[in-house]
Amino acid sequence: MNAPPLALVNARLIDPGTGVDSRGGVLIEDGVIHAIGANVTAANAGARTKIIDCGGDVVCPGLIDMRVFVGEPGAEYRETLATASAAAAAGGVTTIVAMPGTTPPLDDPAVLDFLMRRARDTAKVRVLPAAALTKGLNGREIAEYGLLKEAGAVAFTDGTHCVQDSQVMRRAMTYARDFDALIMPFAEDANLAGSGVMNEGMFASRLGLAGIPREAEAIALDRDMRLVRMVQGRYHAALVTTAMSLEIIARARASGLAVTCGTSINHLTLNDNDIGQYRTFFKLAPPLRSEDDRRALVEALASGLLDVIVSDHNPQDVDNKRLPFGEAENGAIGLETLLAAGLRLVHSGDVALRRLLAAMTIRPAQILGLAQGRLEKGAPADIIRFDPDEPFVVDPVRLHSRSKNTPFENALLQGVVKLTLVAGSAVHA
Amino acid sequence: MTDPAPGKPLFSQKHLLGIEGMSRADIEALLDLAEDAAPLSRQVNKKKDTLRGRTQINLFFEASTRTQASFELAGKRLGADVMNMSVATSSVKKGETLIDTAVTLNAMRPDIIIVRHHQSGAVDLLARKVDCSVVNAGDGSHEHPTQALLDALTIRRRKGRIEGLTVAICGDVLHSRVARSNMILLSALGAQVRVIAPSTLLPSGIEHLGVEVFRDMRKGLEGADIVMMLRLQLERMNGAFVPSLREYSRFFGLDQEKLALARPDALVMHPGPINRGVEIDSSVADGPQSLINEQVEMGVAVRIAVLEALARHLPNN
């Protein structure tokens, strides 16, 4: 196996964890970072070392995506671990957290074991399972956090389901705390969301579509914050999408609760106006919100209130999307466009590059307790190289996902990933 | 009427409703009395006449095998006429209130009523409506005083003392009247009491009740002299309080491996009935460190002692 050392030289090194943003190189040996800094140059490299001149491109930790729906097991026609990981590698994502809403669901250690073996054998990037918060994701009975954590679960969530019963939620939080298990619930009051299919507001009214008020998210999140205070556990709000929700998180955090939050790249870069004439690729859960909410999310990202950006990658085939808006499935793919879409916020001057990358590397690593997500000696060599300025048009046909439901279809984006390393091995070049 | 052990201190109460409020002297007097009563059940002639002519009613609103049998035998060995009232066939099933039942039974002039009820505080309520002595055989999640007394007696006989021992009570503390009575009694006699359970099976604020709380069983067992396992009701095991039977037994079931973390001479107790393979492994339940059967034997002795002590308060004695 003893692969020769690899040196990425002449790069703009960005390590969001330490704030490093400087010229230099990274030396990789045996799958881990061996040296880093201005001294890692072509001239200093050993004879056996393979050298890649990055020509000033950004070299940073590989991205960690905390919310990816993979079709395997059960919906391989939409996406497999192989195709999802190919999309991830092409997008610079080196670790994905797989959501538990598979068939069968990830609520049993044996199913987790299956997923991890399949990932080991077929996936190019690291796949970490998030197990179910409640059995069958039905919101009624807490899952086996102890056994599931031993089997490899890094977090617990019901995906796009919100536990409606407060007693169940309280017990889930209480029991999870004993096992130091991270829970990342989805917050939506099901009754208030009702049969809504998009954000409640002017655009929904104009389209004649039933709306989901922002309060549906706020009420569930508010309840959860009160339970977190009662139980004193850890809580990661999987997706916050409104200014109202951000206020709730800010208040909880100011009072000392161990609360973190994430949002999707879609909610940071798109709004409900983008739905236009019933474009179902923009039908998401939670729904795309107003421009005011989007602006609030961008500000929260810049200020650090928003910890994590996820792709919320959710492959749906045409049969699930080419339907009347109200009947179409929720979800958009996003692994491959995550970084480039995020760079829109950098190019527009709203967010510093380092801050954007932190929300996709070090913050998820810290929340999940992972060794990757940083450029540090001894850390796993999960590293990407990208040119933040190079433009490209998103061509769905060329995307690696088995499903093509991207809201960035034909969009002009900037930021091309040129190299993706997982444990020092190139999985995309 | 014999006057049992006139030199010993008398139990000061008319009823036995709970351990809470009992003095250390009362508890120790009962244990001494029970210690003396223990040989009776090993004799060929197990009869005494302390309660001859007396009527004892066992009023069980909740199904019970061992506690009811234990009280029945204790009463009979003391010569009382014992009547078991099964709630399944009684007027309670026809909608009679607890107080009406109490008043009706009182009119039949019993001397002692043994009551078990699924509601916390129900035995206390009933005791206020009758003239005779009342023994709490378990009320809801509140108290089960004779269980705590028999546990203490079993420990004292084996270890020679209770003072200074570390007792780890493990399992469904939230719903357990056995745990509550034991926490009070063992603390009163100077033991260090620990409780071990997942947080979902612990009552809130338990750390303020004078016990040490452990959520990790392995840590809680370290240095324990006594490991007292509690029964987990199967209906509480399927996702409501704990996710599953297999997860519970993996993290909170007592097996040889976990027991090895306690002191080498640690003893294992369980109020019964046990769920083999769930909260306790068969090899532990049936092993040399188990006191489970001895607890049952001491149960009869303790109930004989309680009945004898209460008999001193009966009129015309």
Side-chain angles (χ1 to χ4, degrees):
Chain A
M1 269 310 284
N2 229 337
L6 173 66
L8 305 180
V9 301
N10 190 25
R12 177 185 171 191
L13 297 175
I14 299 182
D15 181 28
T18 56
V20 166
D21 185 348
S22 61
R23 277 278 163 163
V26 186
L27 180 65
I28 296 152
E29 264 185 70
D30 299 327
V32 300
I33 296 172
H34 194 71
I36 182 159
N39 293 333
V40 180
T41 61
N44 290 348
R48 280 181 72 233
T49 304
K50 185 185 169 196
I51 293 163
I52 296 175
D53 188 324
C54 297
D57 286 344
V58 172
V59 164
C60 73
L63 310 184
I64 299 168
D65 190 342
M66 288 177 70
R67 193 172 169 87
V68 176
F69 295 83
V70 183
E72 194 169 351
E76 287 82 354
Y77 64 96
R78 279 192 254 151
E79 191 89 291
T80 62
L81 288 160
T83 58
S85 72
V93 177
T94 51
T95 299
I96 63 179
V97 176
M99 290 294 104
T102 47
T103 311
L106 302 183
D107 64 357
D108 186 307
V111 183
L112 241 72
D113 189 58
F114 166 81
L115 181 94
M116 291 171 77
R117 283 163 193 270
R118 282 291 290 168
R120 179 195 65 197
D121 295 343
T122 65
K124 291 174 147 186
V125 303
R126 298 180 201 268
V127 178
L128 304 174
L133 192 61
T134 63
K135 290 176 194 167
L137 285 70
N138 66 14
R140 287 194 289 273
E141 298 166 350
I142 58 176
E144 297 166 312
Y145 305 154
L147 296 174
L148 289 164
K149 204 177 169 201
E150 282 186 346
V154 294
F156 296 86
T157 177
D158 277 352
T160 54
H161 298 275
C162 173
V163 174
Q164 300 297 313
D165 185 322
S166 304
Q167 179 71 286
V168 173
M169 195 58 170
R170 176 199 180 175
R171 296 222 176 100
M173 283 185 189
T174 305
Y175 194 74
R177 188 199 58 198
D178 285 358
F179 287 89
D180 194 26
L182 175 69
I183 62 166
M184 33 187 219
F186 177 80
E188 187 174 84
D189 183 291
N191 289 309
L192 194 52
S195 55
V197 296
M198 70 175 287
N199 187 43
E200 184 170 297
M202 181 184 69
F203 294 109
S205 300
R206 188 178 292 162
L207 292 169
L209 293 172
I212 299 173
R214 293 174 291 180
E215 284 77 1
E217 184 174 305
I219 287 170
L221 197 58
D222 237 340
R223 175 203 67 173
D224 284 0
M225 291 306 104
R226 287 176 193 279
L227 292 175
V228 170
R229 174 178 306 286
M230 181 181 184
V231 170
Q232 292 293 316
R234 281 207 290 161
Y235 184 100
H236 176 75
L239 289 177
V240 296
T241 65
T242 70
M244 214 184 284
S245 297
L246 287 166
E247 275 171 34
I248 293 167
I249 296 286
R251 225 181 302 132
R253 221 185 265 185
S255 67
L257 302 184
V259 171
T260 53
C261 68
T263 196
S264 88
I265 189 65
N266 304 310
H267 290 92
L268 276 170
T269 57
L270 306 168
N271 64 33
D272 57 357
N273 190 26
D274 287 308
I275 289 169
Q277 285 299 308
Y278 307 97
R279 294 159 72 191
T280 60
F281 284 6
F282 294 81
K283 187 181 179 194
L284 308 174
L288 287 172
R289 303 293 187 179
S290 71
E291 177 61 10
D292 287 346
D293 288 313
R294 189 192 73 82
R295 296 287 334 161
L297 289 170
V298 173
E299 275 168 35
L301 174 63
S303 74
L305 174 62
L306 189 62
D307 297 277
V308 169
I309 304 172
V310 297
S311 71
D312 197 24
H313 182 84
N314 190 350
Q316 298 292 344
D317 64 350
V318 289
D319 294 335
N320 289 329
K321 280 293 190 184
R322 204 177 291 154
L323 291 168
F325 194 89
E327 294 170 11
E329 281 291 338
N330 291 313
I333 59 168
L335 276 167
E336 216 163 332
T337 49
L338 172 64
L339 178 60
L343 286 168
R344 272 189 174 178
L345 305 173
V346 175
H347 293 304
S348 66
D350 290 311
V351 178
L353 178 57
R354 213 170 68 204
R355 181 68 85 176
L356 177 80
L357 292 176
M360 301 177 178
T361 56
I362 186 71
R363 288 303 290 136
Q366 288 166 339
I367 292 165
L368 294 167
L370 305 177
Q372 58 263 38
R374 60 204 87 197
L375 294 184
E376 273 169 28
K377 186 169 155 61
D382 290 13
I383 294 173
I384 60 171
R385 168 193 172 192
F386 68 94
D387 177 346
D389 299 315
E390 188 177 324
F392 71 102
V393 173
V394 178
D395 177 0
V397 176
R398 295 183 56 193
L399 293 176
H400 293 74
S401 272
R402 187 163 281 182
S403 296
K404 308 299 181 190
N405 53 309
T406 170
F408 297 103
E409 188 174 9
N410 299 324
L412 179 65
L413 298 178
Q414 280 174 275
V416 173
V417 178
K418 295 182 173 174
L419 176 67
T420 304
L421 302 177
V422 173
S425 300
V427 294
H428 167 77
Chain B
M1 283 286 137
T2 57
D3 185 18
K8 293 205 175 184
L10 286 177
F11 177 54
S12 59
Q13 301 173 31
K14 181 184 174 189
H15 306 298
L16 179 64
L17 299 177
I19 300 296
E20 180 144 43
M22 283 179 80
S23 67
R24 184 170 178 157
D26 278 347
I27 294 168
E28 283 176 342
L30 274 176
L31 293 180
D32 291 344
L33 209 54
E35 185 88 51
D36 296 342
L40 178 69
S41 296
R42 293 188 181 180
Q43 289 167 201
V44 174
N45 179 2
K46 299 176 175 61
K47 281 270 190 185
K48 284 175 80 175
D49 58 2
T50 318
L51 293 183
R52 193 173 55 199
R54 301 293 188 182
T55 304
Q56 172 188 334
I57 298 180
N58 293 340
L59 179 60
F60 278 63
F61 292 89
E62 225 182 42
S64 162
T65 310
R66 76 186 59 210
T67 306
Q68 189 171 338
S70 189
F71 271 110
E72 183 175 352
L73 281 178
K76 285 180 171 167
R77 283 175 188 172
L78 291 175
D81 293 318
V82 183
M83 187 187 109
N84 287 312
M85 280 218 22
S86 165
V87 164
T89 54
S90 76
S91 50
V92 174
K93 269 278 174 311
K94 300 173 190 166
E96 188 175 66
T97 67
L98 178 65
I99 288 172
D100 285 342
T101 303
V103 169
T104 303
L105 287 177
N106 193 50
M108 297 178 193
R109 302 282 166 201
D111 299 289
I112 296 179
I113 304 183
I114 316 295
V115 188
R116 169 171 288 188
H117 198 278
H118 47 274
Q119 288 289 346
S120 302
V123 179
D124 189 79
L125 176 64
L126 188 140
R128 283 184 238 161
K129 301 292 171 186
V130 296
D131 301 314
C132 63
S133 287
V134 173
V135 178
N136 181 359
D139 65 323
S141 306
H142 177 225
E143 282 231 41
H144 191 351
T146 55
Q147 179 71 43
L149 288 164
L150 76 88
D151 288 339
L153 178 63
T154 310
I155 295 170
R156 210 176 73 166
R157 281 167 64 99
R158 278 301 199 98
K159 292 286 188 187
R161 66 193 167 108
I162 286 172
E163 181 103 41
L165 295 180
T166 298
V167 182
I169 302 175
C170 180
D172 185 0
V173 179
L174 178 62
H175 301 100
S176 178
R177 52 197 175 212
V178 176
R180 274 178 186 69
S181 290
N182 263 311
M183 280 160 49
I184 303 166
L185 190 153
L186 294 168
S187 300
L189 296 190
Q192 285 288 114
V193 181
R194 300 174 177 178
V195 296
I196 305 171
S199 296
T200 44
L201 292 178
L202 289 171
S204 70
I206 184 154
E207 39 287 284
H208 305 302
L209 298 181
V211 296
E212 252 187 299
V213 182
F214 292 84
R215 274 94 178 171
D216 181 335
M217 187 173 183
R218 293 167 177 280
K219 293 200 182 112
L221 289 179
E222 276 171 28
D225 296 288
I226 302 289
V227 183
M228 194 179 280
M229 300 304 297
L230 300 173
R231 177 180 167 77
L232 182 59
Q233 306 284 347
L234 289 161
E235 65 270 19
R236 292 183 181 132
M237 223 175 287
N238 293 322
F241 293 89
V242 290
S244 66
L245 194 144
R246 65 181 179 186
E247 172 140 327
Y248 186 78
S249 80
R250 170 84 170 69
F251 294 99
F252 294 97
L254 186 66
D255 53 18
Q256 293 289 0
E257 189 214 331
K258 291 199 197 86
L259 180 56
L261 297 166
R263 285 176 57 94
D265 60 349
L267 296 171
V268 177
M269 305 175 77
H270 192 300
I274 62 175
N275 291 309
R276 288 179 183 272
V278 180
E279 73 263 2
I280 190 163
D281 200 70
S282 283
S283 66
V284 174
D286 304 333
Q289 289 165 278
S290 169
L291 296 181
I292 295 174
N293 289 328
E294 204 169 319
Q295 285 174 272
V296 178
E297 184 183 353
M298 290 310 117
V300 178
V302 155
R303 281 149 195 148
I304 287 173
V306 167
L307 295 175
E308 283 194 313
L310 293 179
R312 303 182 189 196
H313 297 278
L314 296 177
N316 307 320
N317 202 3

